Coordinates of all heavy atoms in Angstrom, one line a residue:
M19 N 108.3 -55.4 -80.6 CA 109.2 -56.4 -80.1 C 108.7 -57.8 -80.7 O 107.5 -58.1 -80.6 CB 109.2 -56.5 -78.6 CG 110.5 -56.8 -78.0 SD 110.5 -56.9 -76.2 CE 110.1 -55.2 -75.8
D20 N 109.6 -58.5 -81.3 CA 109.2 -59.8 -81.9 C 109.2 -60.9 -80.8 O 110.3 -61.2 -80.2 CB 110.2 -60.1 -83.0 CG 109.9 -61.4 -83.7 OD1 108.8 -62.0 -83.5 OD2 110.8 -61.8 -84.5
R21 N 108.1 -61.4 -80.5 CA 107.9 -62.4 -79.4 C 108.7 -63.7 -79.7 O 109.3 -64.2 -78.8 CB 106.5 -62.8 -79.2 CG 105.6 -61.6 -78.7 CD 104.2 -61.9 -78.7 NE 103.8 -62.6 -77.5 CZ 102.6 -62.6 -77.1 NH1 101.6 -61.9 -77.7 NH2 102.3 -63.3 -76.0
K22 N 108.8 -64.1 -81.0 CA 109.5 -65.3 -81.3 C 111.0 -65.1 -81.0 O 111.7 -66.0 -80.5 CB 109.3 -65.6 -82.8 CG 109.9 -66.9 -83.2 CD 109.5 -67.3 -84.6 CE 110.0 -68.7 -84.9 NZ 109.6 -69.1 -86.2
K23 N 111.5 -63.9 -81.3 CA 112.9 -63.6 -81.1 C 113.2 -63.6 -79.6 O 114.3 -64.0 -79.1 CB 113.3 -62.2 -81.7 CG 114.7 -61.9 -81.6 CD 115.5 -62.8 -82.5 CE 117.0 -62.4 -82.6 NZ 117.8 -63.3 -83.3
I24 N 112.3 -63.1 -78.8 CA 112.4 -63.0 -77.3 C 112.5 -64.5 -76.8 O 113.4 -64.8 -76.0 CB 111.3 -62.3 -76.7 CG1 111.4 -60.8 -77.0 CG2 111.3 -62.5 -75.1 CD1 110.2 -60.0 -76.6
I25 N 111.7 -65.4 -77.3 CA 111.7 -66.8 -76.8 C 113.0 -67.4 -77.2 O 113.6 -68.1 -76.4 CB 110.5 -67.5 -77.4 CG1 109.2 -67.0 -76.8 CG2 110.7 -69.0 -77.2 CD1 109.1 -67.2 -75.3
E26 N 113.5 -67.1 -78.4 CA 114.8 -67.6 -78.9 C 115.9 -67.2 -77.9 O 116.8 -67.9 -77.6 CB 115.1 -67.2 -80.3 CG 114.3 -67.9 -81.3 CD 114.5 -67.3 -82.7 OE1 115.5 -66.6 -83.0 OE2 113.7 -67.6 -83.6
I27 N 115.9 -65.9 -77.5 CA 116.9 -65.4 -76.6 C 116.9 -66.1 -75.3 O 117.9 -66.5 -74.8 CB 116.8 -63.8 -76.4 CG1 117.1 -63.1 -77.7 CG2 117.6 -63.3 -75.3 CD1 116.7 -61.6 -77.7
I28 N 115.7 -66.2 -74.8 CA 115.5 -66.9 -73.5 C 116.0 -68.3 -73.5 O 116.7 -68.8 -72.7 CB 114.0 -66.9 -73.1 CG1 113.6 -65.4 -72.7 CG2 113.7 -67.8 -71.9 CD1 112.1 -65.2 -72.5
L29 N 115.7 -69.0 -74.6 CA 116.0 -70.5 -74.7 C 117.5 -70.6 -75.0 O 118.1 -71.7 -74.8 CB 115.2 -71.2 -75.7 CG 113.7 -71.2 -75.4 CD1 112.9 -72.0 -76.5 CD2 113.4 -71.9 -74.1
S30 N 118.2 -69.6 -75.6 CA 119.6 -69.7 -75.9 C 120.5 -69.6 -74.7 O 121.7 -69.8 -74.8 CB 119.9 -68.6 -77.0 OG 119.9 -67.4 -76.4
Q31 N 119.9 -69.3 -73.6 CA 120.7 -69.2 -72.3 C 121.4 -70.5 -71.9 O 122.4 -70.4 -71.2 CB 119.9 -68.6 -71.2 CG 119.3 -67.2 -71.4 CD 118.5 -66.8 -70.3 OE1 118.7 -67.2 -69.1 NE2 117.4 -66.0 -70.6
G32 N 120.8 -71.6 -72.3 CA 121.4 -72.9 -72.0 C 121.1 -73.3 -70.6 O 121.7 -74.3 -70.2
K33 N 120.2 -72.7 -69.9 CA 119.9 -73.1 -68.5 C 118.7 -74.0 -68.4 O 118.3 -74.3 -67.3 CB 119.8 -71.9 -67.6 CG 118.6 -71.0 -67.7 CD 118.6 -69.9 -66.7 CE 117.2 -69.5 -66.4 NZ 117.2 -68.5 -65.3
Y34 N 118.1 -74.3 -69.6 CA 116.8 -75.0 -69.6 C 117.1 -76.4 -70.2 O 117.8 -76.5 -71.2 CB 115.7 -74.3 -70.4 CG 115.4 -73.0 -69.8 CD1 115.8 -71.8 -70.4 CD2 114.6 -72.9 -68.7 CE1 115.5 -70.6 -69.9 CE2 114.3 -71.6 -68.1 CZ 114.7 -70.5 -68.7 OH 114.4 -69.3 -68.2
S35 N 116.4 -77.4 -69.6 CA 116.4 -78.8 -70.2 C 115.6 -78.8 -71.5 O 114.8 -77.8 -71.7 CB 115.9 -79.8 -69.2 OG 114.5 -79.6 -69.0
E36 N 115.7 -79.8 -72.3 CA 114.9 -79.9 -73.5 C 113.4 -79.9 -73.1 O 112.6 -79.3 -73.8 CB 115.2 -81.1 -74.3 CG 116.6 -81.0 -74.9 CD 116.7 -79.9 -75.9 OE1 115.8 -79.6 -76.7 OE2 117.7 -79.2 -75.8
E37 N 113.0 -80.6 -72.0 CA 111.6 -80.6 -71.6 C 111.1 -79.2 -71.2 O 110.0 -78.8 -71.6 CB 111.5 -81.6 -70.4 CG 110.1 -81.7 -69.9 CD 110.0 -82.7 -68.7 OE1 110.9 -82.7 -67.9 OE2 108.9 -83.3 -68.5
Q38 N 112.0 -78.5 -70.5 CA 111.6 -77.2 -70.1 C 111.5 -76.2 -71.3 O 110.6 -75.4 -71.4 CB 112.6 -76.6 -69.1 CG 112.6 -77.2 -67.7 CD 113.7 -76.8 -66.8 OE1 114.8 -76.5 -67.3 NE2 113.3 -76.6 -65.5
K39 N 112.4 -76.4 -72.3 CA 112.3 -75.6 -73.5 C 111.0 -75.9 -74.2 O 110.3 -74.9 -74.7 CB 113.5 -75.9 -74.4 CG 114.8 -75.3 -73.9 CD 115.9 -75.7 -74.9 CE 117.2 -75.2 -74.4 NZ 118.3 -75.6 -75.4
E40 N 110.6 -77.1 -74.3 CA 109.4 -77.5 -75.0 C 108.1 -76.9 -74.2 O 107.2 -76.4 -74.9 CB 109.2 -79.0 -75.1 CG 108.0 -79.4 -75.9 CD 108.0 -79.0 -77.3 OE1 109.1 -78.8 -77.9 OE2 106.9 -78.8 -77.9
I41 N 108.2 -76.9 -72.9 CA 107.1 -76.3 -72.2 C 107.0 -74.8 -72.4 O 105.9 -74.2 -72.6 CB 107.3 -76.6 -70.6 CG1 107.0 -78.0 -70.4 CG2 106.3 -75.7 -69.8 CD1 107.4 -78.5 -69.0
I42 N 108.2 -74.1 -72.5 CA 108.2 -72.7 -72.7 C 107.6 -72.4 -74.1 O 106.8 -71.5 -74.3 CB 109.6 -72.1 -72.6 CG1 110.1 -72.2 -71.1 CG2 109.7 -70.7 -73.1 CD1 111.5 -71.9 -70.9
K43 N 108.0 -73.2 -75.1 CA 107.5 -73.0 -76.5 C 106.0 -73.2 -76.5 O 105.3 -72.4 -77.2 CB 108.2 -73.9 -77.5 CG 109.6 -73.6 -77.7 CD 110.3 -74.6 -78.7 CE 111.7 -74.4 -78.9 NZ 112.4 -75.4 -79.7
Q44 N 105.5 -74.3 -75.9 CA 104.1 -74.6 -75.9 C 103.3 -73.5 -75.2 O 102.2 -73.1 -75.6 CB 103.8 -75.9 -75.3 CG 104.3 -77.1 -76.1 CD 103.6 -77.2 -77.4 OE1 102.4 -76.9 -77.5 NE2 104.3 -77.7 -78.4
L45 N 103.9 -73.0 -74.1 CA 103.2 -71.9 -73.3 C 103.1 -70.7 -74.2 O 102.0 -70.0 -74.2 CB 104.1 -71.6 -72.1 CG 103.4 -70.7 -71.0 CD1 102.1 -71.2 -70.5 CD2 104.4 -70.6 -69.8
E46 N 104.1 -70.3 -74.9 CA 104.1 -69.1 -75.8 C 103.1 -69.3 -76.9 O 102.3 -68.5 -77.2 CB 105.5 -68.8 -76.4 CG 105.5 -67.8 -77.4 CD 105.1 -66.4 -76.9 OE1 105.1 -66.2 -75.7 OE2 104.9 -65.5 -77.8
E47 N 103.1 -70.5 -77.5 CA 102.1 -70.8 -78.6 C 100.7 -70.8 -78.1 O 99.8 -70.2 -78.8 CB 102.4 -72.2 -79.2 CG 103.7 -72.2 -80.1 CD 104.0 -73.6 -80.7 OE1 103.1 -74.5 -80.6 OE2 105.1 -73.8 -81.1
S48 N 100.5 -71.3 -77.0 CA 99.1 -71.3 -76.4 C 98.6 -69.9 -76.1 O 97.5 -69.6 -76.2 CB 99.0 -72.3 -75.2 OG 99.8 -71.9 -74.2
M49 N 99.6 -69.1 -75.6 CA 99.2 -67.7 -75.3 C 98.8 -67.0 -76.6 O 97.9 -66.2 -76.6 CB 100.4 -67.0 -74.6 CG 100.0 -65.6 -74.2 SD 101.2 -64.8 -73.1 CE 102.8 -65.1 -73.9
L50 N 99.6 -67.2 -77.7 CA 99.2 -66.6 -78.9 C 97.9 -67.1 -79.5 O 97.1 -66.3 -80.0 CB 100.3 -66.9 -80.0 CG 101.7 -66.2 -79.7 CD1 102.7 -66.7 -80.7 CD2 101.5 -64.7 -79.7
E51 N 97.6 -68.4 -79.3 CA 96.3 -68.9 -79.7 C 95.2 -68.3 -78.9 O 94.1 -68.0 -79.5 CB 96.3 -70.4 -79.5 CG 97.1 -71.2 -80.5 CD 97.1 -72.7 -80.1 OE1 96.2 -73.2 -79.4 OE2 98.1 -73.4 -80.5
W52 N 95.4 -68.1 -77.6 CA 94.4 -67.5 -76.8 C 94.1 -66.0 -77.2 O 93.0 -65.6 -77.3 CB 94.8 -67.6 -75.3 CG 93.8 -67.2 -74.3 CD1 92.5 -66.9 -74.5 CD2 94.0 -67.0 -72.9 NE1 91.8 -66.6 -73.3 CE2 92.8 -66.6 -72.3 CE3 95.1 -67.1 -72.1 CZ2 92.6 -66.4 -71.0 CZ3 95.0 -66.8 -70.7 CH2 93.7 -66.5 -70.2
E53 N 95.2 -65.3 -77.5 CA 95.0 -63.9 -77.9 C 94.3 -63.9 -79.3 O 93.4 -63.0 -79.5 CB 96.4 -63.2 -78.1 CG 97.0 -63.0 -76.7 CD 98.5 -62.4 -76.8 OE1 99.0 -62.4 -78.0 OE2 99.0 -62.1 -75.8
A54 N 94.6 -64.8 -80.2 CA 93.9 -64.8 -81.5 C 92.4 -65.2 -81.3 O 91.5 -64.6 -82.0 CB 94.6 -65.9 -82.4
A55 N 92.1 -66.1 -80.4 CA 90.7 -66.5 -80.1 C 90.0 -65.3 -79.5 O 88.8 -65.1 -79.9 CB 90.7 -67.7 -79.1
K56 N 90.6 -64.5 -78.6 CA 89.9 -63.4 -78.0 C 89.6 -62.3 -79.1 O 88.6 -61.7 -79.2 CB 90.8 -62.7 -76.9 CG 90.8 -63.5 -75.6 CD 91.4 -62.8 -74.5 CE 92.8 -62.9 -74.5 NZ 93.5 -62.3 -73.2
S57 N 90.6 -62.2 -80.0 CA 90.4 -61.2 -81.1 C 89.3 -61.7 -82.0 O 88.4 -60.9 -82.5 CB 91.7 -61.1 -81.9 OG 91.5 -60.3 -83.0
C58 N 89.2 -62.9 -82.3 CA 88.1 -63.5 -83.1 C 86.8 -63.3 -82.5 O 85.8 -62.8 -83.2 CB 88.4 -65.0 -83.3 SG 87.1 -65.9 -84.3
F59 N 86.7 -63.5 -81.2 CA 85.4 -63.3 -80.5 C 85.0 -61.8 -80.6 O 83.8 -61.6 -80.8 CB 85.6 -63.7 -79.0 CG 84.3 -63.5 -78.2 CD1 83.3 -64.3 -78.3 CD2 84.2 -62.4 -77.4 CE1 82.1 -64.1 -77.5 CE2 83.1 -62.2 -76.6 CZ 82.0 -63.0 -76.7
Q60 N 85.9 -60.9 -80.5 CA 85.5 -59.5 -80.6 C 85.1 -59.1 -82.0 O 84.4 -58.0 -82.1 CB 86.7 -58.6 -80.1 CG 87.1 -58.8 -78.7 CD 88.4 -58.1 -78.3 OE1 89.1 -57.6 -79.1 NE2 88.7 -58.2 -77.0
Q61 N 85.4 -59.8 -83.0 CA 85.1 -59.4 -84.4 C 83.9 -60.1 -85.0 O 83.4 -59.7 -86.0 CB 86.3 -59.7 -85.2 CG 87.5 -58.9 -84.9 CD 88.7 -59.2 -85.7 OE1 88.6 -59.9 -86.7 NE2 89.9 -58.7 -85.2
V62 N 83.3 -61.2 -84.3 CA 82.2 -61.9 -84.9 C 80.9 -61.3 -84.4 O 80.8 -60.8 -83.3 CB 82.3 -63.4 -84.6 CG1 83.5 -64.0 -85.2 CG2 82.2 -63.7 -83.1
S63 N 79.9 -61.5 -85.3 CA 78.5 -61.0 -84.9 C 77.5 -62.1 -85.1 O 76.4 -62.1 -84.5 CB 78.2 -59.8 -85.7 OG 78.2 -60.0 -87.1
D64 N 77.7 -63.1 -86.0 CA 76.8 -64.2 -86.2 C 76.7 -65.1 -85.0 O 77.7 -65.4 -84.4 CB 77.2 -64.9 -87.5 CG 76.3 -66.0 -87.8 OD1 76.3 -67.1 -87.2 OD2 75.4 -65.8 -88.7
A65 N 75.5 -65.5 -84.6 CA 75.3 -66.3 -83.4 C 76.1 -67.6 -83.4 O 76.7 -68.0 -82.4 CB 73.8 -66.6 -83.2
K66 N 76.1 -68.2 -84.6 CA 76.9 -69.5 -84.7 C 78.4 -69.3 -84.6 O 79.1 -70.1 -84.0 CB 76.5 -70.2 -86.0 CG 75.1 -70.6 -86.1 CD 74.8 -71.2 -87.5 CE 73.3 -71.6 -87.5 NZ 72.9 -72.1 -88.8
L67 N 78.8 -68.2 -85.1 CA 80.3 -67.9 -85.0 C 80.6 -67.4 -83.6 O 81.7 -67.7 -83.1 CB 80.7 -66.8 -86.0 CG 80.7 -67.2 -87.4 CD1 81.1 -66.0 -88.3 CD2 81.6 -68.3 -87.7
I68 N 79.7 -66.8 -82.9 CA 80.0 -66.5 -81.5 C 80.2 -67.7 -80.6 O 81.1 -67.8 -79.8 CB 78.8 -65.6 -80.9 CG1 78.8 -64.2 -81.6 CG2 78.9 -65.4 -79.4 CD1 77.7 -63.3 -81.3
D69 N 79.3 -68.7 -80.9 CA 79.5 -70.0 -80.1 C 80.8 -70.6 -80.4 O 81.5 -71.1 -79.5 CB 78.4 -71.0 -80.5 CG 77.0 -70.6 -79.9 OD1 77.0 -69.8 -79.0 OD2 76.0 -71.1 -80.4
F70 N 81.2 -70.6 -81.7 CA 82.5 -71.1 -82.1 C 83.6 -70.3 -81.4 O 84.6 -70.9 -80.9 CB 82.7 -71.1 -83.6 CG 84.1 -71.4 -84.1 CD1 84.5 -72.7 -84.0 CD2 84.9 -70.4 -84.5 CE1 85.8 -73.0 -84.4 CE2 86.2 -70.7 -84.9 CZ 86.7 -72.0 -84.9
A71 N 83.5 -69.0 -81.4 CA 84.6 -68.2 -80.9 C 84.7 -68.4 -79.4 O 85.8 -68.4 -78.8 CB 84.3 -66.7 -81.1
I72 N 83.6 -68.6 -78.7 CA 83.6 -68.9 -77.2 C 84.3 -70.2 -77.0 O 85.2 -70.4 -76.1 CB 82.2 -68.9 -76.7 CG1 81.6 -67.5 -76.6 CG2 82.2 -69.5 -75.2 CD1 80.2 -67.4 -76.3
Y73 N 83.9 -71.2 -77.8 CA 84.6 -72.5 -77.7 C 86.1 -72.5 -77.9 O 86.9 -73.0 -77.2 CB 83.9 -73.5 -78.7 CG 84.7 -74.8 -78.8 CD1 84.6 -75.8 -77.8 CD2 85.5 -75.1 -79.9 CE1 85.2 -77.0 -77.9 CE2 86.2 -76.3 -80.0 CZ 86.1 -77.2 -79.0 OH 86.8 -78.4 -79.1
R74 N 86.4 -71.7 -79.0 CA 87.9 -71.6 -79.3 C 88.6 -70.9 -78.2 O 89.8 -71.3 -77.9 CB 88.0 -70.8 -80.6 CG 89.4 -70.7 -81.2 CD 89.4 -70.0 -82.5 NE 90.7 -69.7 -82.9 CZ 91.0 -68.8 -83.8 NH1 90.1 -68.1 -84.4 NH2 92.3 -68.5 -84.1
E75 N 88.0 -69.8 -77.6 CA 88.7 -69.1 -76.6 C 88.9 -70.0 -75.3 O 89.9 -70.0 -74.7 CB 88.0 -67.8 -76.2 CG 88.7 -67.0 -75.2 CD 88.1 -65.6 -75.0 OE1 87.2 -65.2 -75.7 OE2 88.5 -65.0 -74.0
D76 N 87.8 -70.7 -75.0 CA 87.9 -71.6 -73.8 C 88.9 -72.7 -74.0 O 89.7 -73.0 -73.1 CB 86.5 -72.3 -73.6 CG 85.5 -71.3 -73.0 OD1 85.9 -70.3 -72.5 OD2 84.3 -71.7 -73.0
Q77 N 89.0 -73.2 -75.2 CA 90.0 -74.3 -75.5 C 91.4 -73.7 -75.4 O 92.3 -74.3 -74.8 CB 89.8 -74.8 -76.9 CG 90.7 -75.9 -77.4 CD 90.4 -76.3 -78.8 OE1 89.9 -75.5 -79.6 NE2 90.7 -77.6 -79.1
A78 N 91.7 -72.5 -76.0 CA 93.0 -71.9 -75.9 C 93.4 -71.6 -74.5 O 94.5 -71.8 -74.1 CB 93.0 -70.7 -76.8
K79 N 92.4 -71.1 -73.7 CA 92.7 -70.7 -72.3 C 93.1 -72.0 -71.5 O 94.0 -72.0 -70.7 CB 91.5 -70.1 -71.7 CG 91.7 -69.7 -70.3 CD 90.4 -69.0 -69.7 CE 90.6 -68.7 -68.2 NZ 89.4 -68.1 -67.7
A80 N 92.3 -73.1 -71.7 CA 92.6 -74.3 -71.0 C 94.0 -74.9 -71.4 O 94.7 -75.3 -70.5 CB 91.5 -75.4 -71.4
K81 N 94.4 -74.7 -72.6 CA 95.7 -75.2 -73.1 C 96.8 -74.3 -72.4 O 97.8 -74.8 -71.9 CB 95.8 -75.1 -74.6 CG 97.1 -75.6 -75.2 CD 97.1 -75.5 -76.7 CE 98.4 -75.9 -77.3 NZ 98.4 -75.8 -78.8
Y82 N 96.6 -73.0 -72.4 CA 97.5 -72.1 -71.7 C 97.7 -72.4 -70.2 O 98.8 -72.5 -69.7 CB 97.1 -70.7 -71.9 CG 98.0 -69.7 -71.2 CD1 99.2 -69.3 -71.7 CD2 97.6 -69.1 -70.0 CE1 100.0 -68.4 -71.0 CE2 98.4 -68.3 -69.3 CZ 99.6 -67.9 -69.8 OH 100.4 -67.1 -69.1
V83 N 96.5 -72.6 -69.5 CA 96.5 -72.9 -68.1 C 97.3 -74.2 -67.9 O 98.0 -74.4 -66.9 CB 95.1 -72.9 -67.5 CG1 95.1 -73.5 -66.1 CG2 94.5 -71.5 -67.6
Y84 N 97.1 -75.2 -68.7 CA 97.7 -76.5 -68.6 C 99.3 -76.3 -68.7 O 100.0 -76.8 -67.8 CB 97.3 -77.5 -69.7 CG 98.1 -78.7 -69.7 CD1 98.0 -79.7 -68.8 CD2 99.1 -78.9 -70.7 CE1 98.8 -80.9 -68.8 CE2 99.9 -80.0 -70.8 CZ 99.7 -81.0 -69.8 OH 100.5 -82.1 -69.8
F85 N 99.7 -75.6 -69.7 CA 101.2 -75.5 -69.8 C 101.8 -74.6 -68.8 O 102.9 -74.8 -68.4 CB 101.6 -75.0 -71.3 CG 101.5 -76.1 -72.3 CD1 100.5 -76.1 -73.2 CD2 102.4 -77.1 -72.2 CE1 100.4 -77.1 -74.2 CE2 102.3 -78.2 -73.1 CZ 101.3 -78.2 -74.1
L86 N 101.0 -73.6 -68.3 CA 101.4 -72.8 -67.2 C 101.6 -73.7 -65.9 O 102.6 -73.6 -65.2 CB 100.4 -71.7 -66.9 CG 100.8 -70.7 -65.8 CD1 102.1 -70.0 -66.2 CD2 99.7 -69.7 -65.6
S87 N 100.7 -74.6 -65.7 CA 100.8 -75.5 -64.5 C 102.0 -76.4 -64.7 O 102.7 -76.8 -63.7 CB 99.5 -76.3 -64.3 OG 99.3 -77.2 -65.3
Q88 N 102.3 -76.9 -65.9 CA 103.4 -77.7 -66.2 C 104.7 -76.9 -65.9 O 105.7 -77.5 -65.4 CB 103.4 -78.2 -67.7 CG 102.3 -79.2 -68.0 CD 102.6 -80.5 -67.2 OE1 103.6 -81.1 -67.3 NE2 101.6 -80.9 -66.4
A89 N 104.7 -75.7 -66.4 CA 105.9 -74.9 -66.1 C 106.2 -74.7 -64.6 O 107.3 -74.8 -64.2 CB 105.7 -73.5 -66.8
K90 N 105.1 -74.5 -63.9 CA 105.3 -74.3 -62.4 C 105.7 -75.6 -61.8 O 106.6 -75.6 -60.9 CB 104.0 -73.9 -61.8 CG 103.6 -72.4 -62.1 CD 102.3 -72.0 -61.4 CE 102.0 -70.6 -61.8 NZ 100.7 -70.2 -61.2
A91 N 105.2 -76.7 -62.2 CA 105.5 -78.1 -61.7 C 107.0 -78.4 -62.0 O 107.6 -79.1 -61.2 CB 104.6 -79.1 -62.3
K92 N 107.5 -78.0 -63.1 CA 108.9 -78.3 -63.5 C 109.8 -77.2 -63.1 O 111.0 -77.3 -63.4 CB 108.9 -78.5 -65.1 CG 108.0 -79.6 -65.6 CD 108.5 -80.9 -65.2 CE 107.6 -82.0 -65.8 NZ 107.9 -83.3 -65.5
G93 N 109.4 -76.2 -62.4 CA 110.3 -75.2 -61.9 C 110.8 -74.3 -63.0 O 111.9 -73.7 -62.8
V94 N 110.0 -74.1 -64.0 CA 110.5 -73.2 -65.1 C 110.2 -71.8 -64.7 O 109.1 -71.4 -64.4 CB 109.7 -73.5 -66.4 CG1 110.1 -72.6 -67.5 CG2 110.0 -75.0 -66.9
T95 N 111.3 -71.0 -64.7 CA 111.2 -69.6 -64.5 C 111.9 -68.8 -65.6 O 112.9 -69.4 -66.1 CB 111.7 -69.1 -63.1 OG1 113.1 -69.5 -63.1 CG2 111.0 -69.8 -62.0
L96 N 111.4 -67.7 -66.0 CA 112.1 -66.9 -67.0 C 112.8 -65.7 -66.4 O 112.2 -65.0 -65.7 CB 111.1 -66.4 -68.1 CG 110.3 -67.6 -68.8 CD1 109.3 -66.9 -69.8 CD2 111.2 -68.5 -69.5
D97 N 114.0 -65.6 -66.7 CA 114.9 -64.6 -66.1 C 114.9 -63.4 -67.1 O 115.5 -63.5 -68.2 CB 116.3 -65.1 -65.8 CG 117.2 -64.0 -65.2 OD1 116.6 -62.9 -64.9 OD2 118.4 -64.3 -65.1
A98 N 114.2 -62.4 -66.8 CA 114.1 -61.2 -67.8 C 115.3 -60.4 -67.8 O 115.6 -59.7 -68.8 CB 112.9 -60.4 -67.4
S99 N 116.2 -60.5 -66.8 CA 117.4 -59.7 -66.8 C 118.3 -59.9 -68.0 O 118.8 -59.0 -68.6 CB 118.2 -59.9 -65.5 OG 118.6 -61.2 -65.4
Y100 N 118.4 -61.2 -68.4 CA 119.2 -61.5 -69.6 C 118.6 -60.8 -70.8 O 119.3 -60.3 -71.6 CB 119.3 -63.0 -69.8 CG 120.0 -63.4 -71.0 CD1 121.4 -63.5 -71.0 CD2 119.4 -63.7 -72.2 CE1 122.1 -63.8 -72.2 CE2 120.1 -64.1 -73.3 CZ 121.5 -64.1 -73.3 OH 122.1 -64.5 -74.4
M101 N 117.3 -60.9 -71.0 CA 116.6 -60.4 -72.1 C 116.8 -58.8 -72.1 O 117.0 -58.3 -73.2 CB 115.1 -60.7 -72.1 CG 114.4 -60.5 -73.3 SD 112.8 -61.2 -73.3 CE 112.1 -60.6 -71.8
I102 N 116.7 -58.2 -71.0 CA 116.9 -56.8 -70.9 C 118.3 -56.4 -71.3 O 118.5 -55.4 -72.1 CB 116.5 -56.3 -69.5 CG1 115.0 -56.4 -69.2 CG2 117.0 -54.8 -69.3 CD1 114.6 -56.2 -67.8
E103 N 119.3 -57.1 -70.9 CA 120.7 -56.8 -71.3 C 120.8 -56.9 -72.8 O 121.4 -56.1 -73.4 CB 121.6 -57.9 -70.7 CG 121.9 -57.6 -69.2 CD 122.7 -58.7 -68.6 OE1 123.5 -59.4 -69.4 OE2 122.6 -59.0 -67.4
E104 N 120.2 -58.0 -73.4 CA 120.3 -58.1 -74.9 C 119.6 -57.0 -75.6 O 120.1 -56.5 -76.6 CB 119.7 -59.5 -75.3 CG 120.5 -60.7 -74.8 CD 121.9 -60.7 -75.4 OE1 122.1 -60.3 -76.6 OE2 122.8 -61.2 -74.7
L105 N 118.5 -56.6 -75.1 CA 117.7 -55.5 -75.7 C 118.5 -54.2 -75.6 O 118.5 -53.4 -76.6 CB 116.3 -55.4 -75.1 CG 115.3 -56.5 -75.5 CD1 114.1 -56.4 -74.6 CD2 115.0 -56.6 -76.9
S106 N 119.0 -53.9 -74.5 CA 119.7 -52.6 -74.3 C 121.0 -52.6 -75.1 O 121.4 -51.5 -75.5 CB 120.0 -52.4 -72.8 OG 120.8 -53.3 -72.3
S107 N 121.7 -53.7 -75.2 CA 123.0 -53.7 -76.0 C 122.7 -53.7 -77.5 O 123.6 -53.3 -78.2 CB 123.8 -54.9 -75.6 OG 123.3 -56.1 -76.1
G108 N 121.6 -54.2 -77.9 CA 121.2 -54.2 -79.3 C 122.0 -55.3 -80.1 O 121.9 -55.4 -81.3
S109 N 122.7 -56.2 -79.4 CA 123.5 -57.2 -80.1 C 122.7 -58.3 -80.8 O 123.1 -58.8 -81.7 CB 124.4 -57.9 -79.1 OG 123.7 -58.6 -78.1
K110 N 121.5 -58.6 -80.3 CA 120.7 -59.6 -80.9 C 119.6 -59.1 -81.9 O 118.9 -59.8 -82.5 CB 120.0 -60.5 -79.8 CG 120.9 -61.2 -78.9 CD 121.2 -62.6 -79.5 CE 122.1 -63.3 -78.6 NZ 122.3 -64.7 -79.0
W111 N 119.5 -57.8 -81.9 CA 118.4 -57.2 -82.7 C 119.0 -56.5 -83.9 O 118.8 -56.1 -84.8 CB 117.6 -56.2 -81.9 CG 117.0 -56.9 -80.7 CD1 117.6 -57.0 -79.5 CD2 115.8 -57.6 -80.6 NE1 116.9 -57.7 -78.6 CE2 115.8 -58.1 -79.3 CE3 114.8 -58.0 -81.5 CZ2 114.7 -58.9 -78.9 CZ3 113.8 -58.7 -81.0 CH2 113.7 -59.2 -79.7

C-alpha cells in the first residue's frame, strides 16, 4: 500500500482545514523519518555512527510526538472508513 496515496485519499475528503491538512502531512513525514532513523540504528556498527543514529531517532521521535500532540489539540481524527471504501472499490488505485 502506498502511504502517500493513502494520505492523498484522506485529505481529499474535504473535511479538513488547511491547518489540519498540514498537521496530517507533517505527522506522516515525521513518522517516516522516525522509521528511517530506527532502520539506520539497526544497521550501524561504528560507535560514532551509533551515537548519530540514536540522536537522529530521538529527534525524529520528538518531532512525531509534537505533531501528534498538535493533531490532538486541533481535533484531527482520521476516518478509516472512507479509505476502506476506496480500497475495496479499487477506484483510486
Side-chain angles (χ1 to χ4, degrees):
M19 216 180 298
D20 183 8
R21 291 169 89 152
K22 189 173 184 177
K23 187 67 174 173
I24 291 170
I25 294 298
E26 289 175 14
I27 291 170
I28 290 169
L29 296 180
S30 70
Q31 294 178 34
K33 72 176 204 174
Y34 299 104
S35 69
E36 289 302 315
E37 181 181 32
Q38 289 174 324
K39 287 179 183 180
E40 186 60 30
I41 291 171
I42 292 168
K43 288 178 187 177
Q44 291 295 329
L45 190 57
E46 173 65 14
E47 287 177 17
S48 62
M49 184 169 48
L50 292 174
E51 287 175 23
W52 189 10
E53 289 173 357
K56 285 192 275 188
S57 176
C58 177
F59 179 77
Q60 293 172 356
Q61 296 176 15
V62 298
S63 58
D64 184 279
K66 292 177 184 174
L67 289 178
I68 291 172
D69 287 343
F70 171 74
I72 291 170
Y73 170 76
R74 185 175 170 201
E75 186 174 349
D76 287 345
Q77 182 183 26
K79 180 180 176 182
K81 185 177 176 182
Y82 176 78
V83 169
Y84 170 77
F85 283 111
L86 185 60
S87 69
Q88 290 295 302
K90 288 179 182 179
K92 302 291 182 181
V94 176
T95 58
L96 299 179
D97 183 7
S99 64
Y100 177 81
M101 195 169 51
I102 292 168
E103 286 176 23
E104 292 297 326
L105 290 172
S106 64
S107 69
S109 63
K110 296 273 184 175
W111 303 92

